[in-house]
């Protein structure tokens, strides 16, 4: 049952990420915003990452039938998602490379003390956490400066994605728990939160982060 749930959640993540990527692409064509171009790459990458993992589950379910998804497939999917998270963070790095608060900068170092250096998948998850936590913090600081309401939804979305990645790493500590499925639900919730401001772009001239242009 848990295997089926993880399969379904990865399929949902793929569809949600693809939908946001398409909306970002339409917005880029209508506005020519470089930020939306980077977001298009980001969300398509996230969507492809979910698709790779979902394909791994499907191959396991119908072809391999060993009881577990191939680790290299999951690592590849997470690596592709990390590329997407990088482009999201890069959209904010034009403003400043690190959050303004030295206290928040220290948060990004935390995951490196929690992961094993021999697990490439753990490394990708820790990098994803840092990028997403950075993006969430920077976006909230942008909201404080500019009072752009769309930034709240973006910050929440990035924070949920960061929490999802953290729980995804923690699920390896308790492999028989439901933590991985919970992390997937939280990540999908984060993508949906990001969809709210992005979905307004094709019909209006609203920018994802006005302070970046």
């Amino acid at each position: 049952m848990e295997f089926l749930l993880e399969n379904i959640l990865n399929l949902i993540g793929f569809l949600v990420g693809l939908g946001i990527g398409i909306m970002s692409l339409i917005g880029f064509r209508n506005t020519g915003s470089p930020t939306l171009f980077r977001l298009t790459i980001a969300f398509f990458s996230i969507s492809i990452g979910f698709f790779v993992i979902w394909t791994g589950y499907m191959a396991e379910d119908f072809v391999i039938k060993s009881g577990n998804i191939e680790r290299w497939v999951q690592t590849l999917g997470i690596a592709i998602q990390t590329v997407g998270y990088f482009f999201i963070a890069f959209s904010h790095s034009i403003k400043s490379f690190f959050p303004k608060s030295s206290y928040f900068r220290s948060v990004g170092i935390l995951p490196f003390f929690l992961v094993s250096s021999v697990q490439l998948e753990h490394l990708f998850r820790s990098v994803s956490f840092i990028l997403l936590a950075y993006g969430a913090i920077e976006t909230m600081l942008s909201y404080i400066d500019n009072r752009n309401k769309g930034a709240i939804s973006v910050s929440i979305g990035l924070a949920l994605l960061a929490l999802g990645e953290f729980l995804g790493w923690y699920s390896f500590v308790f492999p028989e728990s439901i933590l991985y499925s919970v992390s997937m639900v939280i990540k999908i919730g984060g993508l949906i939160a990001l969809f709210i401001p992005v979905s307004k772009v094709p019909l209006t001239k609203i920018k994802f982060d006005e302070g970046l242009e």
Side-chain angles (χ1 to χ4, degrees):
M1 181 63 184
E2 183 178 345
F3 190 90
L4 176 62
L5 177 61
E6 293 172 1
N7 193 339
I8 294 173
L9 289 174
N10 276 287
L11 176 59
I12 294 174
F14 160 67
L15 294 175
V16 173
L18 180 63
I20 301 175
I22 292 173
M23 295 297 289
S24 299
L25 178 61
I26 295 173
F28 166 69
R29 288 180 174 178
N30 288 346
T31 65
S33 168
T35 300
L36 284 173
F37 176 72
R38 290 187 290 271
L39 291 176
T40 300
I41 299 176
F43 289 117
F44 277 139
S45 296
I46 294 171
S47 177
I48 293 172
F50 277 114
F51 180 77
V52 168
I53 298 175
W54 174 72
T55 302
Y57 275 102
M58 293 296 291
E60 165 56 33
D61 199 18
F62 294 101
V63 181
I64 303 174
K65 298 182 179 180
S66 65
N68 292 296
I69 183 176
E70 292 289 332
R71 178 56 60 87
W72 70 267
V73 174
Q74 184 154 310
T75 301
L76 177 62
I78 292 172
I80 296 173
Q81 289 180 14
T82 301
V83 173
Y85 299 145
F86 168 78
F87 275 98
I88 291 178
F90 180 71
S91 296
H92 297 271
S93 66
I94 295 177
K95 189 175 182 181
S96 61
F97 188 73
F98 288 108
K100 299 175 182 178
S101 169
S102 59
Y103 172 78
F104 286 131
R105 283 200 297 266
S106 65
V107 175
I109 302 175
L110 179 62
F112 284 118
F113 294 100
L114 301 177
V115 299
S116 170
S117 60
V118 299
Q119 293 290 340
L120 187 60
E121 182 175 334
H122 292 180
L123 178 61
F124 284 131
R125 287 192 183 277
S126 68
V127 171
S128 295
F129 176 87
I130 292 171
L131 293 172
L132 292 166
Y134 161 71
I137 293 168
E138 191 68 18
T139 303
M140 184 54 66
L141 292 175
S142 174
Y143 167 75
I144 294 174
D145 291 339
N146 303 319
R147 297 297 175 179
N148 178 12
K149 294 182 180 180
I152 298 178
S153 181
V154 172
S155 181
I156 292 174
L158 294 176
L160 288 174
L161 287 171
L163 177 60
E165 285 298 329
F166 182 81
L167 291 179
W169 168 82
Y170 211 68
S171 67
F172 288 100
V173 180
F174 302 100
E176 301 300 325
S177 69
I178 200 173
L179 280 176
Y180 181 77
S181 297
V182 172
S183 73
M184 291 294 298
V185 172
I186 292 175
K187 287 171 66 175
I188 292 172
L191 290 175
I192 293 174
L194 292 175
F195 177 77
I196 296 173
V198 173
S199 64
K200 298 177 182 178
V201 177
L203 299 178
T204 66
K205 295 293 185 178
I206 296 176
K207 299 175 183 177
F208 184 79
D209 189 337
E210 294 181 356
L212 299 177
E213 298 297 336

